[in-house]
């Protein structure tokens, strides 16, 4: 591993060791490393660009957020995490729901150290940029745009923002020796109700979408989501978002646990032992599950699931969380969930 | 004779500190050097009995012994304590020669040391004080003396080569087993067996036809490989020759000038103890071409592949890597170390090229030429034995002839009907300027192959962009932990020397220097170079100059007792 801060090798300052590295479906997430405690160093300043390479491959990029030289602990955040604090404004500073415009303006302002190569979305999920409460963040708009198209969004280790779909063929095979994942109800819903704002001030409407295949396999269950923070939505847009949410995970049960494994337990689907640093969220992995879940799996003892988060703490071992990990199984998700709820209390 | 020297203090003899002379005596009663302690991760297995234990590495060892300070005055006793304390709490070394005249001196790499008081009223009355010395040291010890390994470029430049046989026809060939044309009529194969690892056998291919070996190109270069770990012999008109050099599946044999009528290549398998479950399979030998060459090495001299036949020590040794040229800037540099025992694996893909665009000569290219990749994809046909399974960092050297920009290139790998496809947007910074581009990390082969498989893995690189040019590419096996590989990439520019200085007792982190200053932002990849006993490989590219040399300076490392 090779760590640089603002392009300078950290080893030129002193010894370092990575204590935790995580990535989630939105790309690099957290990086923590330890150095010898000492006086502040001008290179290791908040806001500096952090790049971690494995050989010639960049595996983690982000921004140095907490350089605590006094204790020798340094924390950096992935570039995607900034999306939720950067407002969606155009070049003139006016609210825009055109994601391409908002991202380009944020890059131009220096708020996001991203690269946009392809169009994310030019039409906002809502056409309502003037009466919307507050200024939406780029993260909110990306979430909505991704849900609307049943995709996910990420900022790659190469800093490129993109939408992506679930791969159709698994890349990894997580052997039973690494552990099986258990299926729990979690936030499963076969019917999703969504509350939306109409184009008449103060008037709301409710849409719903059913996943009949999920209902046939797993039974009927319903849940509600609040779409009002997205501003005025047409019924069609609301339904698209609900469909995307169901497809991306709500219409499937959740998983109770993650698995930890070595390179001999996490293999490629071609049975080549994994180079663990190259296991990434957004890849599809084949997990072994409890064998009696016949309704969902129709007799299979495995499930092909997106890798939702990868956690590296010790060399030689990696923790892999399936997407749809039940809430509370990981504290990061719990904190993110509570943070997202806070914003919605405004109404 | 036993000696024990801690940070320059003689712990079994007289010392002088601050003008006072005193005697130090380390006591042997409860002396321990401790042990490298394994860092194990225990994973509870779901489907098997017991737990799976994985050793990630070794943590520091803790040594402990007592030191008796003897003086004749209070000042001398105090100087003893001061001297010991001056050596505590810092990174230093402790050198130990065990009792007996046969043993070598061993150096422990001390991370820190602490002094502990032990009170004894009778000792105190006799001007004697005893302290406990607790030392935290790196897990492994080292020898006193550095070992320097040097890899020189192949002599006798300029390089020249003459084709003997491209093997597009197999008519001139006879085989020890079943003879077949292989690889779209580009190679000949002999299939024998089936054999297991416990069998001793030869597989050979023989070419009949007059060949004149000239004195200026005395090496016969055999490109090809067996499906098993083999020793190779070239038999020319009944006389046997051993390889003068081996790089991946390229083998050079020095043959006296003359006109000969038969050339036989024999792959010999020595019986080995079957590892676990022996695989019994057909044994093949496949040959792709025969050349005669001026030198036993890669042609363009901007790359160097070398095997260090002897690495001393009982554990792997980190070491300082120096790449230099007397008069020229090194340009962009790749340096890679990897162990032996990985079959015919070697990083350069150029060893396996079988198809591609039309090659135009380019003296600035590492391969000596450049090719477009928008028509016929550049194709490398890699035998299974040259591609041990694992993650590979993919690096290409490319340029765009007219415009900087971001361009999509597609890498594929195929075996057994399964294809891995990887499309990467690469950013080309300049116009008609070569640069290394990383295509990320991919796992190869696409399907794990059984030991002894005679399959080839077909790897391609293509793009729809007409003006992209490829020099060549590399697959660097990525395995810092298990296989002890290391990759260093530096943009050295005009600097004539790169030194990778590993962490040691003087500075606790690795630093790469260009000439005499730190590489800073010019460093693009860095992993601590390690060479593991009993032998190891180094591979290097210097785009800025031909004939750079590589030097590896290391202390042989040991569990506890140095043997050298």
């Amino acid at each position: 591993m090779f760590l640089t801060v603002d392009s300078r090798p950290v080893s030129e300052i002193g010894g370092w060791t990575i204590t935790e590295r995580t990535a989630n479906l939105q790309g690099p997430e957290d990086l923590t490393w330890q150095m010898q405690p000492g006086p502040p160093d001008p290179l290791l300043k908040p806001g500096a660009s952090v790049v971690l390479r494995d050989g010639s491959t960049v595996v983690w990029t982000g921004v140095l957020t907490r350089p605590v030289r006094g204790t020798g602990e340094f924390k950096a955040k992935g570039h995607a995490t900034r999306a939720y604090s950067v407002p969606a404004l155009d070049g003139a500073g006016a609210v825009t729901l055109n994601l391409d415009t908002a991202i380009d303006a944020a890059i131009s302002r220096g708020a996001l150290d991203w690269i946009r190569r392809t169009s994310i979305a030019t039409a906002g999920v809502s056409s309502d940029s003037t009466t919307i409460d507050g200024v939406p963040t780029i993260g909110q708009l990306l979430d909505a745009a991704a849900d609307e198209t049943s995709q996910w969004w990420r900022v790659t280790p190469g800093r490129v923002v993109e939408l992506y779909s679930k791969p159709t063929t698994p890349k990894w095979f997580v052997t039973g020796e690494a552990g099986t994942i258990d299926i729990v109800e979690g936030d499963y819903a076969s019917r999703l109700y969504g509350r939306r704002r109409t184009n008449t001030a103060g008037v709301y409407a409710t849409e719903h979408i059913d996943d009949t295949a999920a209902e046939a396999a797993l039974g009927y269950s319903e849940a509600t989501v609040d779409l009002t923070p997205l501003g005025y939505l047409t019924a069609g847009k609301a339904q698209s978002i609900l469909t995307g949410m169901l497809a991306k995970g709500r219409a499937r049960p959740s998983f109770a646990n993650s698995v930890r494994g070595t390179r001999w337990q996490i293999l490629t689907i071609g049975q080549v032992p994994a180079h663990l640093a190259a296991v990434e969220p957004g890849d599809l992995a084949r997990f072994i599950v409890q064998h009696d879940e016949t309704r969902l799996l129709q007799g299979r003892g495995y499930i092909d699931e997106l890798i939702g988060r990868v956690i590296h703490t010790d060399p030689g071992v990696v923790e892999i969380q399936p997407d749809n990990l039940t809430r509370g199984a990981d504290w990061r998700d719990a904190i993110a969930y509570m943070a997202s709820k806070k914003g919605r209390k405004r109404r | 004779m036993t000696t024990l020297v801690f940070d320059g203090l003689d712990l079994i003899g007289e010392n002088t500190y601050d003008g006072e002379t005193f005697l130090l005596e380390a006591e042997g009663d409860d002396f321990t050097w401790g042990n490298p302690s394994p860092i194990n991760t225990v994973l509870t297995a779901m489907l098997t009995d017991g737990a799976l234990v994985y050793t990630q590495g070794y943590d520091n060892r803790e040594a402990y012994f007592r030191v008796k300070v003897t003086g004749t005055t209070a000042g001398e006793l105090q100087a003893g304590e001061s001297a010991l304390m001056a050596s505590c709490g810092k990174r230093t070394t402790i050198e130990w020669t065990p009792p007996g005249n046969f043993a070598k001196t061993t150096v422990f790499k001390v991370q820190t040391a602490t002094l502990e008081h032990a009170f004894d009223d009778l000792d105190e009355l006799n001007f004697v004080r005893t302290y406990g010395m607790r030392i935290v040291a790196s897990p492994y010890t080292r020898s006193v003396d550095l070992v320097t390994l040097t890899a020189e470029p192949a002599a006798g430049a300029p390089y020249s080569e003459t084709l003997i046989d491209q093997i597009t026809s197999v008519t001139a060939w006879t085989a020890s087993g079943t003879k077949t044309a292989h690889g779209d009529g580009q190679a000949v194969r002999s299939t024998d067996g089936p054999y297991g690892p416990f069998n001793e056998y030869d597989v050979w291919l023989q070419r009949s036809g007059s060949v004149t070996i000239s004195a200026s190109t005395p090496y016969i270069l055999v490109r090809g490989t067996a499906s098993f770990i083999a020793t190779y012999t070239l038999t020319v008109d009944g006389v046997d020759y051993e390889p003068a050099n081996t790089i991946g599946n390229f083998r050079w044999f020095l043959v006296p000038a003359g006109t000969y009528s038969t050339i036989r290549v024999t792959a010999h398998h020595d019986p080995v103890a079957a590892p676990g479950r022996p695989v019994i399979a057909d044994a093949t030998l496949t040959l792709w071409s025969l050349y005669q060459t001026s030198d036993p090495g890669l042609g363009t001299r901007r790359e160097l592949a070398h095997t260090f036949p002897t690495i001393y020590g009982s554990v792997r040794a980190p070491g300082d890597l120096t790449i230099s040229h007397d008069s020229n800037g090194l340009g962009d540099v790749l340096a890679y170390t990897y162990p032996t025992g990985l079959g015919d694996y070697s990083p350069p893909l150029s060893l396996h090229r079988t198809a591609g665009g039309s090659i135009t000569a380019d003296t600035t290219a590492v391969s000596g030429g450049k090719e477009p990749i928008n028509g016929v994809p550049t194709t490398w046909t890699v035998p299974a034995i040259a591609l041990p399974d694992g993650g590979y960092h993919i690096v290409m050297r490319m340029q765009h002839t007219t415009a900087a920009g971001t361009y999509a290139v597609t890498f594929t790998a195929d075996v057994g009907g399964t294809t891995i496809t990887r499309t990467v947007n690469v950013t080309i910074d300049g116009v008609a300027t070569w640069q290394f581009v990383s295509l990320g990390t991919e796992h190869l082969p696409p399907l794990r192959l059984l030991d002894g498989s005679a399959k080839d893995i077909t790897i391609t690189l293509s793009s729809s962009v007409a003006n992209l040019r490829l020099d060549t590419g590399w697959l660097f096996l990525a395995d810092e932990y298990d296989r002890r590989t290391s990759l260093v990439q530096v943009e050295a520019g005009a600097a004539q020397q790169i030194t990778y200085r590993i962490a040691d007792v003087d500075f606790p982190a690795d630093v790469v220097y260009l000439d005499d200053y730190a590489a800073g932002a010019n460093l693009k990849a860095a992993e601590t170079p390690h060479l593991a006993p009993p032998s190891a490989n180094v591979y290097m590219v210097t785009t800025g100059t031909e004939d750079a040399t590589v030097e590896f300076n290391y202390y042989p490392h040991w569990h506890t007792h140095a043997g050298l």
Side-chain angles (χ1 to χ4, degrees):
Chain A
M1 289 288 170
F2 172 55
L3 180 66
T4 62
V5 172
D6 278 349
S7 300
R8 289 274 307 282
V10 172
S11 61
E12 289 178 5
I13 298 167
W16 56 274
T17 182
I18 301 276
T19 49
E20 187 180 59
R21 166 163 72 94
T22 71
N24 62 16
L25 288 170
Q26 293 174 353
E29 187 182 18
D30 292 317
L31 183 75
T32 308
W33 77 89
Q34 186 71 36
M35 296 182 74
Q36 185 182 358
D41 188 286
L43 178 66
L44 303 171
K45 60 183 185 295
S49 168
V50 176
V51 177
L52 183 71
R53 286 184 177 85
D54 166 42
S56 51
T57 302
V58 174
V59 292
W60 200 97
T61 47
V63 176
L64 184 56
T65 51
R66 287 173 57 86
V68 185
R69 194 78 208 267
T71 61
E73 190 178 75
F74 294 78
K75 285 179 184 289
K77 285 290 211 185
H79 287 295
T81 57
R82 297 243 143 170
Y84 295 101
S85 57
V86 174
L89 303 173
D90 63 17
V95 170
T96 176
L97 300 176
N98 178 330
L99 258 173
D100 288 0
T101 304
I103 291 170
D104 290 351
I107 293 170
S108 161
R109 292 196 305 273
L112 295 176
D113 189 13
W114 294 4
I115 298 165
R116 188 179 66 79
R117 290 232 168 90
T118 52
S119 175
I120 307 296
T122 50
V125 289
S126 168
S127 57
D128 168 27
S129 64
T130 51
T131 61
I132 190 168
D133 292 349
V135 181
T137 65
I138 286 174
Q140 281 175 320
L141 295 187
L142 278 167
D143 286 346
D147 282 345
E148 188 192 356
T149 53
S150 300
Q151 296 184 93
W152 287 264
W153 69 271
R154 68 181 162 202
V155 180
T156 68
R159 298 185 287 115
V160 175
V161 59
E162 62 187 19
L163 292 176
Y164 65 101
S165 303
K166 185 174 181 173
T168 51
T169 52
K171 180 171 181 180
W172 305 103
F173 179 68
V174 180
T175 65
E177 278 74 21
T180 60
I181 53 174
D182 290 308
I183 294 174
V184 295
E185 185 182 32
D187 61 357
Y188 165 73
S190 63
R191 171 176 287 188
L192 209 51
Y193 289 101
R195 186 82 167 152
R196 68 176 174 93
R197 306 170 91 182
T198 68
N199 59 353
T200 307
V203 177
Y204 296 84
T206 304
E207 309 297 333
H208 73 264
I209 293 290
D210 285 302
D211 187 326
T212 51
E215 185 182 336
L218 297 160
Y220 178 78
S221 177
E222 61 184 36
T224 61
V225 290
D226 179 9
L227 301 176
T228 58
L230 298 173
Y232 151 64
L233 287 183
T234 63
K237 286 279 187 188
Q239 287 163 6
S240 295
I241 292 172
L242 295 174
T243 303
M245 286 178 167
L246 285 169
K248 285 171 66 177
R250 290 300 296 265
R252 281 175 290 141
S254 300
F255 301 103
N257 58 300
S258 55
V259 293
R260 268 165 66 84
T262 68
R263 66 190 298 263
W264 303 110
Q265 295 157 336
I266 294 163
L267 311 173
T268 67
I269 201 72
Q271 307 291 297
V272 173
H275 176 60
L276 297 178
V279 180
E280 288 187 332
D283 291 342
L284 198 63
R286 179 160 294 182
F287 293 92
I288 307 296
V289 294
Q290 55 201 18
H291 293 189
D292 59 351
E293 192 57 58
T294 50
R295 285 186 306 165
L296 170 69
L297 300 168
Q298 297 167 343
R300 281 172 289 150
Y302 65 88
I303 189 166
D304 291 340
E305 184 58 56
L306 272 183
I307 296 176
R309 179 179 280 117
V310 175
I311 302 169
H312 296 269
T313 47
D314 309 306
V317 182
V318 69
E319 179 179 340
I320 294 178
Q321 290 182 0
D323 183 32
N324 244 12
L325 193 67
T326 190
R327 187 156 292 127
D330 188 281
W331 58 270
R332 294 175 194 78
D333 287 335
I335 290 171
Y337 176 74
M338 286 185 279
S340 71
K341 285 291 171 196
K342 188 182 168 195
R344 293 177 188 181
K345 280 181 182 165
R346 287 181 310 211
R347 52 190 59 78
Chain B
M1 195 183 85
T2 305
T3 61
L4 190 64
V5 179
F6 172 46
D7 193 35
L9 276 180
D10 183 354
L11 295 185
I12 313 177
E14 282 199 343
N15 295 271
T16 301
Y17 185 82
D18 208 13
E20 304 274 8
T21 300
F22 50 88
L23 181 66
L24 294 178
E25 291 168 283
E27 303 193 329
D29 290 351
D30 50 359
F31 195 119
T32 175
W33 285 120
N35 280 296
S37 57
I39 305 167
N40 289 336
T41 296
V42 179
L43 298 165
T44 308
M46 302 288 289
L47 303 179
T48 56
D49 292 332
L52 297 157
V53 182
Y54 182 83
T55 301
Q56 298 168 23
Y58 289 85
D59 211 339
N60 291 335
R61 68 200 301 160
E62 188 171 307
Y64 179 81
F65 53 87
R66 281 175 293 121
V67 183
K68 195 163 75 175
V69 182
T70 307
T72 55
T73 65
E76 288 175 5
L77 275 185
Q78 187 54 52
E81 179 182 301
S82 299
L84 286 170
M85 271 311 287
S87 298
C88 284
K90 66 179 187 185
R91 275 183 294 276
T92 181
T93 59
I94 184 162
E95 296 184 16
W96 175 54
T97 311
N101 291 326
F102 58 90
K104 303 290 184 186
T105 302
T106 298
V107 180
F108 290 80
K109 297 187 281 187
V110 176
Q111 294 296 327
T112 189
T114 49
L115 205 59
E116 297 175 356
H117 172 247
F119 180 71
D120 186 315
D121 51 356
L122 288 176
D123 274 0
E124 192 74 16
L125 293 170
N126 292 312
F127 289 99
V128 173
R129 283 177 182 155
T130 302
Y131 297 89
M133 179 70 80
R134 201 168 290 281
I135 289 173
V136 177
S138 297
Y140 296 123
T141 65
R142 65 166 168 83
S143 296
V144 174
D145 295 320
L146 269 177
V147 174
T148 298
L149 300 172
T150 307
E152 302 279 356
Y159 175 88
S160 67
E161 65 181 23
T162 309
L163 179 68
I164 297 173
D165 191 347
Q166 195 64 58
I167 319 186
T168 50
S169 161
V170 301
T171 310
W173 291 83
T174 49
S176 57
T178 306
K179 181 181 79 172
T180 47
H182 182 71
D184 297 334
Q186 293 171 290
V188 60
R189 169 171 283 186
S190 175
T191 305
D192 284 38
Y195 294 118
F198 35 77
N199 292 124
E200 181 172 6
Y201 55 89
D202 285 339
V203 183
W204 55 260
L205 284 161
Q206 178 169 309
R207 181 184 186 277
S208 299
S210 179
V211 173
T212 299
I213 304 297
S214 78
S216 61
T217 52
Y219 292 93
I220 294 184
L221 164 59
V222 177
R223 188 190 148 207
T225 194
S227 60
F228 50 92
I229 303 290
T231 52
Y232 291 82
T233 306
L234 189 75
T235 309
V236 181
D237 281 3
V239 181
D240 290 346
Y241 301 94
E242 304 301 319
N245 193 17
T246 301
I247 299 172
N249 57 339
F250 278 32
R251 292 177 178 82
W252 288 262
F253 300 82
L254 181 59
V255 177
T259 300
Y260 302 100
S261 56
T262 60
I263 296 174
R264 176 185 289 200
V265 180
T266 305
H268 175 76
H269 181 266
D270 278 321
V272 292
R277 290 151 292 176
V279 175
I280 298 172
D282 283 347
T284 67
L285 174 65
T286 310
L287 298 183
W288 292 78
S289 65
L290 297 179
Y291 278 82
Q292 46 181 304
T293 71
S294 59
D295 300 286
L298 299 171
T300 65
R301 295 151 53 213
R302 289 179 200 274
E303 59 185 328
L304 185 155
H306 188 80
T307 301
F308 296 122
T310 307
I311 304 297
Y312 298 107
S314 53
V315 296
R316 67 184 172 128
D320 292 342
L321 190 69
T322 303
I323 296 164
S324 60
H325 191 275
D326 288 343
S327 50
N328 297 339
L330 297 173
D332 293 346
V333 175
L334 289 171
Y336 181 68
T337 60
Y338 60 107
T340 52
L342 295 174
D344 273 358
Y345 168 68
S346 187
L349 275 167
S350 56
L351 301 175
H352 308 289
R353 187 182 181 281
T354 49
S358 172
I359 296 178
T360 310
D362 184 337
T363 55
T364 63
V366 173
S367 65
K370 61 187 171 193
E371 59 188 297
I373 55 172
N374 63 320
V376 179
T378 301
T379 304
W380 299 280
T381 306
V382 188
I385 200 164
L387 204 65
D389 54 10
Y392 286 84
H393 300 311
I394 309 164
V395 178
M396 297 286 161
R397 191 162 186 252
M398 301 183 76
Q399 63 168 242
H400 191 284
T401 55
T402 55
T406 299
Y407 306 103
V409 298
T410 299
F411 172 95
T412 70
D414 176 278
V415 74
T418 294
T419 304
I420 287 174
T421 302
R422 184 179 191 87
T423 298
V424 179
N425 287 301
V426 299
T427 300
I428 302 290
D429 298 323
V431 176
T433 307
W434 289 115
Q435 70 180 71
F436 290 124
V437 294
S438 167
L439 302 190
T441 306
E442 195 54 81
H443 285 71
L444 298 172
L447 296 173
R448 183 182 172 85
L449 298 170
L450 206 52
D451 291 348
S453 170
K455 280 197 161 46
D456 294 325
I457 295 96
T458 305
I459 293 173
T460 70
L461 188 77
S462 61
S463 173
S464 61
V465 181
N467 290 326
L468 277 179
R469 293 290 177 273
L470 174 71
D471 173 352
T472 186
W474 296 268
L475 293 177
F476 294 104
L477 184 59
D479 208 335
E480 264 185 285
Y481 300 114
D482 286 329
R483 281 163 172 162
R484 316 304 190 194
T485 63
S486 79
L487 178 63
V488 182
Q489 184 185 341
V490 196
E491 291 175 0
Q496 294 170 13
Q497 178 168 312
I498 293 170
T499 308
Y500 191 116
R501 280 178 67 88
I502 56 164
D504 207 335
V505 292
D506 55 348
F507 188 73
D510 293 4
V511 181
V512 177
Y513 295 91
L514 301 181
D515 292 333
D516 57 354
Y517 53 92
N522 294 309
L523 187 60
K524 301 302 178 190
E527 292 168 337
T528 304
H530 284 97
L531 296 189
S535 56
N537 294 304
V538 64
Y539 175 79
M540 175 187 83
V541 173
T542 52
T543 65
T545 184
E546 298 177 333
D547 297 339
T549 58
V550 60
E551 192 176 284
F552 190 79
N553 287 288
Y554 75 103
Y555 291 105
H557 275 59
W558 315 86
H559 181 281
T560 302
H561 293 281
L564 186 72

